[in-house]
Amino acid sequence: MTDIQAVPAPLNAETEPCGDLCIRTLAMPADTNANGDIFGGWLLSQMDIGGGVLASKIAKSRTVTVAIEAMNFRKAVYVGDLVSVHANPVRIGRTSVTVHLEAWVLRRKEKLSILVTDGNFTYVSIDEQGHPQVIQRDDVPVSA
Ligand SMILES: CC(C)(COP(=O)(O)OP(=O)(O)OC[C@H]1O[C@@H](n2cnc3c(N)ncnc32)[C@H](O)[C@@H]1OP(=O)(O)O)[C@@H](O)C(=O)NCCC(=O)NCCS
């Protein structure tokens, strides 16, 4: 059987990151928008990269991003912020994996990190031709 198995969504109290750390990087001047703040697209790409690493680990294959949903840009990010992305799988389907991603920042002179962005990223396991392929799950017998 290769059917969907839901994994419980994370309980996010917004007090501490949910999921494993997958990216940690510093927001740099080159990542700013016209206002001088960090460009949302840069943050999104960091989250996409981090989630893709986890998705590929779960799928044991390369993956592509098929959808990004429920994005919340809660707080601005500034040059010099230390950005940490945390990933938590919330759904493993037949060929896809949905990962809840959170970006937290630690500001200079601050002691506590804050949640700046979160969302659900769905990745599809693909074969050499770029076609979706069934995720071989360790805990579920897979038929041909
Ligand atoms: C991802 C891709 C291979 C899927 O091909 P497809 O023929 O549409 O695949 P399917 O319709 O069989 O869907 C595959 C899986 O994706 C899921 N999916 C497709 N569209 C989705 C969406 N909008 N939201 C969530 N899941 C979606 C399906 O539910 C299915 O999951 P499941 O097998 O676990 O149930 C193809 O759309 C593609 O190559 N897209 C471009 C990917 C890319 O370049 N990403 C980077 C963008 S910058």
Side-chain angles (χ1 to χ4, degrees):
M1 194 174 83
T2 58
D3 213 346
I4 293 165
Q5 179 176 326
V7 179
L11 289 173
N12 184 355
E14 296 185 20
T15 53
E16 61 183 58
C18 179
D20 293 339
L21 177 70
C22 56
I23 297 266
R24 178 164 285 161
T25 187
L26 204 57
M28 302 291 277
D31 309 318
T32 54
N33 60 24
N35 298 327
D37 301 331
I38 294 302
F39 180 48
W42 175 82
L43 192 55
L44 201 78
S45 72
Q46 299 303 311
M47 296 170 77
D48 192 16
I49 292 166
V53 170
L54 178 62
S56 290
K57 194 171 162 191
I58 291 169
K60 302 180 202 72
S61 70
R62 62 192 184 120
T63 57
V64 286
T65 312
V66 73
I68 300 176
E69 297 169 293
M71 285 299 298
N72 295 300
F73 288 92
R74 300 169 184 273
K75 301 259 168 50
V77 179
Y78 304 111
V79 171
D81 285 353
L82 181 63
V83 178
S84 299
V85 178
H86 293 257
N88 191 36
V90 292
R91 180 184 171 275
I92 302 173
R94 185 172 177 274
T95 66
S96 68
V97 179
T98 300
V99 180
H100 178 72
L101 286 152
E102 296 180 356
W104 290 68
V105 303
L106 183 62
R107 305 233 146 100
R108 281 179 285 208
K109 300 180 184 169
E110 302 262 334
K111 289 193 177 140
L112 294 176
S113 294
I114 55 167
L115 175 66
V116 290
T117 304
D118 61 281
N120 295 327
F121 291 57
T122 299
Y123 303 87
V124 176
S125 172
I126 53 166
D127 61 19
E128 289 303 315
Q129 284 71 46
H131 299 135
Q133 64 177 5
V134 172
I135 294 172
Q136 306 287 324
R137 297 184 52 137
D138 295 332
D139 56 336
V140 179
V142 177
S143 56

